[in-house]
Amino acid sequence: MGHPAILTVDDDPSVSRAIARDLRRRYGDQYRILRASSATDALDALKELKLRGGRVAVMLADYRMPQINGIEFLEQAMDLFPNARRALLTAYADTDAAISAINVVDVDHYLLKPWDPPEEKLYPVIDALLDAWQATGDREIEDIRVVGHRWSEPSYQIRDFLARNLVPYKWYGADEAEGRRLLEAAGVGPESIPLVVTADGRALARPSSTEVAEAAGLSTAPERDFYDLIIVGGGPAGLGAAVYGASEGLKTLMVERQAVGGQAGQSSRIENYLGFPDGISGAQLTDRARRQAGKFEAEVLNTREVTGLRADGSARTLTFADGGEVSAHSIVLATGVAYRPLVADGIAEFTGSGVYYGSASTEGPSCAGSDVYIVGGANSAGQAALFFSRYARSVTLLVRGDSLEASMSYYLIQQLAQVDNIKVRTRCEVIGAQGNGHLQAITICDSKEGMSTTVECGYLFVFIGAEPRTDWLGTAVARDEKGFVYTGPDLLTNGSRPKGWDRDRDPFYLECSVPGIFAAGDVRANSVKRVASAVGEGAMAVTLVHRYLEAQ
């Protein structure tokens, strides 16, 4: 098939020549550089490439073109080469359109014209796009197929698991023609729902998360018994530790029980993370971080629940729920936090069938024309409100406090105020949920008005604080009354080191009450609950791991 292609399309001849020149200079020995002067010519070239069995790695399209603009071109080009990476060439005045394309049309990046010097403004972007393309190539990806019920919690759990792990899948309702055909072909009935059909045709009836992970090609078993560093938790802190640990030569394993990315991975948009002035979705950030960790050969273990931790001499050993074990010289605890359950009549009954914890982005399109309610007043709730406002008829934020200012970033409050179909109600709580088979209404207590009302509601998303996932630690390391892990200076009482401490030094800043065990991110007592600080602590933990290992 020859070299894969990088295609550029721009109706301005001088710009077209300039970008083709710069691309040939850097990539001409490994890629065919193709350029077109119109979207129509570019589509014709792509169709010819497709017929000849060619491959396209990256497509760059000018936003302002006659007849078919850059966004429309990329939408059509995706049908021919869905795995090619896509970027818009824009002028400064068109950045809003470019950002919209990233959010809505799945454009990977945009480049401002002019891009001089290319070494700083063009090549780093193209390098990242090519790295992403090389991770999948241009082969056809056979989607996993899932058959289930719209309002079934087990069906939702599988869809959510696949989506959060960035595994492509196709969803079919059990009452749809294709859903019925798949059930019949598998020789099973409704009692076997949810049904997962793998790319190679295997049918899995009511599978566990581990079975789904294995079917999706995710690793579920460690490759070795002993590592330099094991990270428990795959959120921003865990990913930060994995990237820095593996890049510095440590044999690194990251263990995640549900989905890499943690709560941050569910965010529809993170706009205050350094280096992304136009924002980035949690899924995009997670995907990039996971690929970066893989580039440095960090091992990622999926759907494994850690149930115990102990010190075995100089080794630190983790126990899994299935009885398995794995050991390392050092451990980083990065398990983050979980959303606190909403305690109200009927809520537990409808969890997964109208009541959801976190953003649950898989439910976005299903919310079309519905009235969505979101419980919570922090950034995650605000980001979810903006996301669901694209689909829902109305979105109502129910805030327990007097205002959003105490818990939400100013920029996010301003954005919410500009969206017509978002409403904020303060001093309100959900005290009940009703429905027949799925959520249909909620009862809201308004303390300002001193009254309760019941309103129609098909979707309720809950973001009410967080609890650390540390019960499994028991007494292995010191924790506060809420379960957050004490580290560093917090372990010293009147200058005295923690009980059982056997080193002739104070605990390092992120070190727990057992030497060689560290905590990073939201799970740590008195941490700053921000994505950037979690990533920073993950990186810092690796530096301290090195100091610990050097002293061994």
Side-chain angles (χ1 to χ4, degrees):
M1 292 187 292
H3 291 319
I6 298 176
L7 172 72
T8 74
V9 51
D10 197 307
D11 64 320
D12 185 327
S14 62
V15 174
S16 180
R17 286 193 297 269
I19 193 165
R21 178 200 64 218
D22 289 340
L23 291 174
R24 286 194 185 98
R25 184 183 304 158
R26 175 72 169 249
Y27 307 104
D29 60 337
Q30 298 182 60
Y31 295 88
R32 296 176 59 196
I33 310 302
L34 306 178
R35 68 183 180 98
S37 58
S38 72
T40 301
D41 289 346
L43 288 171
D44 288 342
L46 290 175
K47 291 173 183 175
E48 185 175 348
L49 267 176
K50 189 73 173 179
L51 291 173
R52 293 182 176 181
R55 297 171 293 161
V56 178
V58 173
M59 296 183 285
L60 306 171
D62 181 46
Y63 172 63
R64 289 183 179 270
M65 293 189 294
Q67 282 110 29
I68 303 175
N69 67 33
I71 296 174
E72 294 166 339
F73 162 73
L74 290 174
E75 282 188 285
Q76 295 181 46
M78 284 170 63
D79 294 334
L80 294 167
F81 291 95
N83 295 325
R85 296 293 159 161
R86 301 166 289 279
L88 275 177
L89 300 172
T90 70
Y92 183 79
D94 297 323
T95 53
D96 286 345
I99 294 169
S100 175
I102 291 173
N103 291 338
V104 179
V105 191
D106 200 22
V107 171
D108 296 295
H109 214 289
Y110 73 87
L111 285 160
L112 287 175
K113 298 185 288 188
W115 51 83
D116 290 329
E119 289 76 13
E120 295 180 12
K121 297 185 178 180
L122 175 64
Y123 297 150
V125 172
I126 303 300
D127 287 346
L129 294 175
L130 290 172
D131 284 346
W133 178 78
Q134 287 168 357
T136 60
D138 208 24
R139 62 186 182 275
E140 291 295 321
I141 298 177
E142 292 291 337
D143 289 344
I144 287 175
R145 289 164 289 174
V146 180
V147 182
H149 290 303
R150 174 70 190 84
W151 298 111
S152 158
E153 182 180 3
S155 297
Y156 162 71
Q157 294 293 349
I158 285 180
R159 290 189 294 126
D160 186 60
F161 174 82
L162 291 171
R164 291 183 61 189
N165 282 285
L166 307 178
V167 176
Y169 73 94
K170 292 179 180 176
W171 162 260
Y172 300 98
D175 55 351
E176 297 176 9
E178 184 61 21
R180 289 193 296 269
R181 282 194 288 268
L182 287 170
L183 288 171
E184 183 178 351
V188 297
E191 73 283 352
S192 298
I193 289 173
L195 178 75
V196 173
V197 181
T198 67
D200 59 4
R202 290 182 296 125
L204 307 176
R206 304 179 68 180
S208 66
S209 294
T210 299
E211 290 173 321
V212 175
E214 291 171 348
L218 302 176
S219 175
T220 60
E223 295 178 0
R224 60 180 70 216
D225 297 325
F226 199 90
Y227 294 82
D228 296 319
L229 170 64
I230 299 177
I231 303 151
V232 187
L239 286 164
V243 168
Y244 282 92
S247 69
E248 293 174 11
L250 297 178
K251 297 298 182 184
T252 302
L253 172 70
M254 185 174 73
V255 183
E256 171 54 50
R257 72 182 185 92
Q258 188 173 14
V260 173
Q263 285 190 9
Q266 293 181 280
S267 176
S268 56
R269 205 79 188 153
I270 302 170
E271 297 196 58
N272 57 357
Y273 187 62
L274 185 67
F276 293 89
D278 305 310
I280 185 170
S281 73
Q284 288 175 313
L285 186 62
T286 296
D287 180 46
R288 295 181 185 190
R290 184 168 61 180
R291 285 191 284 108
Q292 194 172 15
K295 171 184 175 181
F296 295 118
E297 299 184 352
E299 188 181 333
V300 179
L301 201 59
N302 300 272
T303 67
R304 295 301 293 271
E305 184 172 0
V306 180
T307 56
L309 168 63
R310 70 176 187 270
D312 291 329
S314 62
R316 304 292 179 256
T317 299
L318 294 172
T319 303
F320 296 123
D322 62 1
E325 294 184 347
V326 65
S327 300
H329 290 300
S330 58
I331 302 286
V332 172
L333 305 175
T335 50
V337 292
Y339 289 116
R340 186 175 298 121
L342 175 60
V343 180
D345 290 341
I347 291 295
E349 177 186 350
F350 297 116
T351 299
S353 57
V355 176
Y356 306 96
Y357 288 88
S359 182
S361 59
T362 55
E363 303 305 303
S366 301
C367 293
S370 301
D371 296 314
V372 169
Y373 286 80
I374 296 174
V375 182
N379 280 9
S380 53
Q383 290 160 349
L386 291 172
F387 173 74
F388 288 112
S389 69
R390 303 177 198 165
Y391 304 96
R393 177 171 54 194
S394 69
V395 176
T396 303
L397 266 173
L398 301 175
V399 184
R400 188 175 184 178
D402 294 326
S403 68
L404 291 173
E405 278 73 11
S407 55
M408 188 178 292
S409 296
Y410 176 75
Y411 81 89
L412 202 48
I413 296 173
Q414 297 300 107
Q415 289 184 6
L416 293 175
Q418 295 171 9
V419 181
D420 292 337
N421 64 335
I422 294 179
K423 179 181 179 181
V424 178
R425 292 182 59 181
T426 58
R427 296 176 61 185
C428 287
E429 295 182 62
V430 174
I431 59 173
Q434 302 84 39
N436 183 16
H438 62 90
L439 181 69
Q440 293 174 305
I442 58 173
T443 301
I444 303 169
C445 176
D446 189 327
S447 60
K448 295 195 305 292
E449 303 293 334
M451 60 183 296
S452 298
T453 56
T454 298
V455 298
E456 291 186 4
C457 173
Y459 298 88
L460 180 71
F461 299 92
V462 181
F463 301 82
I464 53 169
E467 299 174 336
R469 295 171 173 164
T470 58
D471 289 347
W472 61 275
L473 284 169
T475 59
V477 297
R479 298 178 291 150
D480 68 14
E481 66 280 0
K482 295 181 179 179
F484 292 96
V485 178
Y486 282 128
T487 59
D490 291 338
L491 290 167
L492 303 179
T493 304
N494 297 323
S496 298
R497 294 165 183 160
K499 184 179 179 180
W501 187 260
D502 62 358
R503 304 298 161 103
D504 188 23
R505 60 169 176 82
D506 290 345
F508 295 136
Y509 184 70
L510 299 179
E511 198 167 19
C512 301
S513 58
V514 176
I517 300 176
F518 300 82
D522 291 358
V523 73
R524 194 175 65 82
N526 302 315
S527 65
V528 178
K529 305 298 189 282
R530 288 289 185 269
V531 174
S533 62
V535 172
E537 288 192 5
M540 185 192 303
V542 171
T543 298
L544 299 177
V545 164
H546 280 295
R547 291 177 60 184
Y548 167 78
L549 294 177
E550 288 167 0
Q552 288 294 94

